[in-house]
Amino acid sequence: MAGDAVATNKRVVLKRHVTGFPTEEDMEVVVDTVPLRVPAGSPAMLVQNLYLSCDPWMRGRMSKHDDGGAAETAPDFVVGETLVNFGVGKVIDSTHPAFKASDLVWGMSGWEEYTLVSQPESLFKVNHTDLPLSYYTGVLGLTGLTAYASFMELGRPKRGDFVFVSAASGAVGQIAGQLAKIAGCYVVGSAGSDEKVDLLKTKFGFDDAFNYKSEADLAAALKRRLPDGIDIYVDNVGGATLDAALLNMRWGGRVVVCGMISQYNLNEPYGLRNMYCIIPKALRVEGFNATGYFHMYSRFEEEMARYIREGKVVVVQDVVEGIESAPAALIGLFSGKNVGKQLVALARE
Amino acid sequence: MAGDAVATNKRVVLKRHVTGFPTEEDMEVVVDTVPLRVPAGSPAMLVQNLYLSCDPWMRGRMSKHDDGGAAETAPDFVVGETLVNFGVGKVIDSTHPAFKASDLVWGMSGWEEYTLVSQPESLFKVNHTDLPLSYYTGVLGLTGLTAYASFMELGRPKRGDFVFVSAASGAVGQIAGQLAKIAGCYVVGSAGSDEKVDLLKTKFGFDDAFNYKSEADLAAALKRRLPDGIDIYVDNVGGATLDAALLNMRWGGRVVVCGMISQYNLNEPYGLRNMYCIIPKALRVEGFNATGYFHMYSRFEEEMARYIREGKVVVVQDVVEGIESAPAALIGLFSGKNVGKQLVALARE
């Protein structure tokens, strides 16, 4: 790398804090330049971002919280600063002994073409370079870890368990459902279009699936498809679907809450009416936050790479090209525009 | 016992199924007679009931559910039949080898003066006859087991944990709070009168307590008293107090739901708005149902008897006399009329 080389660096910055449904106007793509080597000083890595992950949880950081987001998973984004999320990249230059130029990595990065990363613990090396690199935004990255650790550790599946997954064709849902099949469970998924329902049945191997937008009574829709009830509900949506699932849980059931995408843009959250069910049915409802599970990553990566190679886990990705497409792709998550894992390709290896 | 002796037997029967707040008119005390020995046929025990336990969970069985209560902890009571709940009694006659006349027992019995019990597994022998016999309706019975198993097994307390208990002077709350002190926790309780708040501080050793009826903002009331947040919330009330607690939970906190007394008489349950907190804070919300914990009873009974003898657990009971007083005592639970564990004394040993 030439010592004084610079590159243009397009970045997505937060233009204003968001209330309600986010729009493209809440973000802005700005252009500046970046030196292509790590500046003198503390050890760091300059990463060229190849793929950015679009995740619903970013929405929370786009609001302004009274406490700055201290009670959230991560602090509020700052107006005028680059958005941050998980991504996949290539090390261009490194003054840190743990990384060298040309290393492929995934981890926390900026929504920009090049990011200077100073914390080595926020990057993981890509170990399975024979698999599509973009998978490290999803099935082999945080999304996969979320599906795996939440379903296995909180869901504690047993062969024959009845499993329900919402937003089932989405990034976490599609993997959770396939892990449930691997574990010998009977799996029903819900999604927001007939196209997605077809995907669940034909591509991901769900035993049954339904379009929640076509069902007037979600509790009845579940009862029809899971007449003996639900042992594990992998909740990615919250709200009315969670209420309906609570009514259909079996004794000792586990509700694993990975997300509540139906709630993120509401100023007034849905009022959950069926939580009383947890007492007579001895239910456990648990929120999953990946922060506590990175110690499982290596084990997970090996197991998931094996499932992918064996064809036991297949992946559907929704890829848009170029950082200019990132804001719309992020917003599309909240209307269910994406089919499968949403990501942005900036450059290809 | 004279072979042909009979006794009058006053019984509380359900007069009609209940909607909304129960009234005395929903129940009726009827009088008939009972032979004072077990009839020929299957082995059984005739029990003279000495103390009846009044518990909020009986309310659920007084309603008529579409499915007969199959989804509840226990099936609906039948109109015209005697109410059923835990109580303490003395065996008058037995044709079952596991029990003999004069044995003191606690377990599932009728709301009547004499009950013919045919299932020996529904009765436990009273092992600590030096302690007040009435304690087996509460601290040494199902109430105590509920407080102990829920707090220890689901709450998993660590020394220094911040604990919040609602309905804290009530049957389960007073014991849970004292167990939390034994475990080295900092304990705050809420109750519905200043008299009960005084009890919490002076009698049960809570570190702090408040009258929820005097607080306009429950979340702020908790924040003032537990500024670093809550590790374990022992929920006996549900509704707005649960919502406020969710906002104040710490990372990895446990919400142990033993009851939701604020909800039992509502036709339209409170809509819980803060369940989203379980994701960023990785919270576990778990419903406790004693059905799965009777295997712990012997261990619990010994440990709790020791705490009582050592003065580490003290008990406040609210005792009314005579079965005619039972309906009003049960109803009083729902307006917080009782101070401490509510029970009915029918006869004394």
Side-chain angles (χ1 to χ4, degrees), chain A residues 71-73 251 257-260 268-273 275-276 278-280 282-289 291, chain B residues 71-73 251 257-260 264 268-273 275-276 278-280 282-289 291:
Chain A
E72 307 296 313
T73 302
W251 170 273
V257 184
C258 292
M260 290 192 175
E268 185 70 18
Y270 174 92
L272 207 58
R273 299 194 177 278
M275 276 293 286
Y276 70 87
I278 70 174
I279 303 174
L283 304 181
R284 173 183 288 186
V285 181
E286 196 157 2
F288 180 81
N289 189 307
T291 313
Chain B
E72 308 295 313
T73 303
W251 170 273
V257 185
C258 292
M260 290 194 174
Y264 298 160
E268 186 70 17
Y270 174 92
L272 208 57
R273 300 195 176 276
M275 275 294 285
Y276 70 89
I278 69 174
I279 303 175
L283 304 182
R284 174 182 287 186
V285 181
E286 198 159 359
F288 180 81
N289 190 306
T291 313

Side-chain angles (χ1 to χ4, degrees), chain A residues 7 15 17 88 119 124 135 145 160 211 266 291 307 324:
Chain A
K15 206 162 147 193
H17 281 120
V88 174
Q119 295 168 310
F124 294 82
Y135 281 13
L145 180 64
N211 179 347
L266 303 180
T291 313
Y307 291 147
E324 293 83 354

Side-chain angles (χ1 to χ4, degrees), chain B residues 227-306:
Chain B
D228 293 324
I230 302 167
D231 294 294
I232 305 173
Y233 170 37
V234 179
D235 185 18
N236 295 302
V237 303
T241 304
L242 174 53
D243 244 354
L246 284 165
L247 286 178
N248 282 280
M249 296 301 293
R250 301 176 92 184
W251 170 273
R254 286 82 69 200
V255 178
V256 179
V257 185
C258 292
M260 290 194 174
I261 196 169
S262 74
Q263 302 299 296
Y264 298 160
N265 301 312
L266 303 180
N267 293 321
E268 186 70 17
Y270 174 92
L272 208 57
R273 300 195 176 276
N274 297 331
M275 275 294 285
Y276 70 89
C277 294
I278 69 174
I279 303 175
K281 298 182 189 180
L283 304 182
R284 174 182 287 186
V285 181
E286 198 159 359
F288 180 81
N289 190 306
T291 313
Y293 293 88
F294 282 103
H295 64 280
M296 289 180 61
Y297 180 72
S298 291
R299 187 181 101 200
F300 151 77
E301 185 190 15
E302 294 311 306
E303 188 170 333
M304 188 58 77
R306 195 177 72 239

